[in-house]
Amino acid sequence: EIVMTQSPATLSVSPGERATLSCGASQRVSTNLAWYQQKPGQAPRVLIYGASARATGVPARFSGSGSGTEFTLTISSLQSEDFAVYYCQQYNEWPGTFGQGTKVEIK
Amino acid sequence: QVQLQESGPGLVKPSQTLSLTCIVSGGSISSGGYYWNWLRQPAGKGLELIGRIYTSGSFNYNPSYNPSLKSRVTISLDTSKNQFSLKVRSVTAADTAMYYCASSSALANWFDSWGQGTLVTVSS
């Protein structure tokens, strides 16, 4: 099973600032990597797939990069609605596996 | 995008079987091109993929299960009702979690539509 590791566990950011979240894979996953946002009491929502493609309706302030084992999700200017938990998921090998999440909180 | 809705008991006794159903609307599960998945998330923890199933409409493929749960899990389809189901046998407190159903493209297994989730507690 591919282990996904996210850092940091918690990121404290002021509104309007840039947030950079990292995700590492224990094996190469090419660009078969997705990012999800989860708010309290809600199901996850896909933001990014294919490591860098924004899902339908996702604002342009969200961007993804990376390939192989190292990936990054960047939120260029945090809005109030962006404070949430973010998960990365590899789907290169079965079963798809998720990182433990990064909580983005208001500084 | 399709809409998905989980249903089932919120409380299951230890050693019994957890049974959930996911009703799909806004599209047919028989149309092909999509996997139908079950995931779970213990409170305050991360997400775990339980398994998935696929049908081309004319043929139901064997489900795929996470090895960590494979011996206790069954996922099945009911195309006549446009729904799919999950059974987890011999449950323990460790199976207490929010359970989600979700769809994913057969070309790439990232999850594009999710149900709202249903909380299942294992307790006597």
Side-chain angles (χ1 to χ4, degrees), chain B residues 30-54:
Chain B
S30 300
S31 61
Y34 281 87
Y35 286 109
W36 305 100
N37 303 268
W38 284 100
L39 303 95
R40 69 182 184 178
Q41 184 175 36
K45 296 189 178 180
L47 293 147
E48 179 181 38
L49 177 58
I50 299 170
R52 69 185 184 188
I53 195 165
Y54 179 83

Side-chain angles (χ1 to χ4, degrees), chain A residues 36 38 43-44 49 87 89 94, chain B residues 41 52 65 100 109 111 115:
Chain A
Y36 300 85
Q38 187 177 33
Y49 62 91
Y87 294 96
Q89 178 229 345
W94 177 263
Chain B
Q41 184 175 36
R52 69 185 184 188
Y65 300 121
Y100 295 101
N109 203 36
F111 307 103

Side-chain angles (χ1 to χ4, degrees), chain A residues 51-100:
Chain A
S52 61
R54 270 191 302 276
T56 302
V58 174
R61 63 181 180 272
F62 291 92
S63 62
S65 64
S67 67
T69 62
E70 297 297 324
F71 301 88
T72 300
L73 174 70
T74 302
I75 312 171
S76 60
S77 176
L78 270 157
Q79 307 297 303
S80 57
E81 62 267 29
D82 300 335
F83 293 96
V85 179
Y86 292 83
Y87 294 96
C88 62
Q89 178 229 345
Q90 69 80 19
Y91 51 92
N92 193 61
E93 287 188 6
W94 177 263
T97 47
F98 293 82
Q100 77 278 22

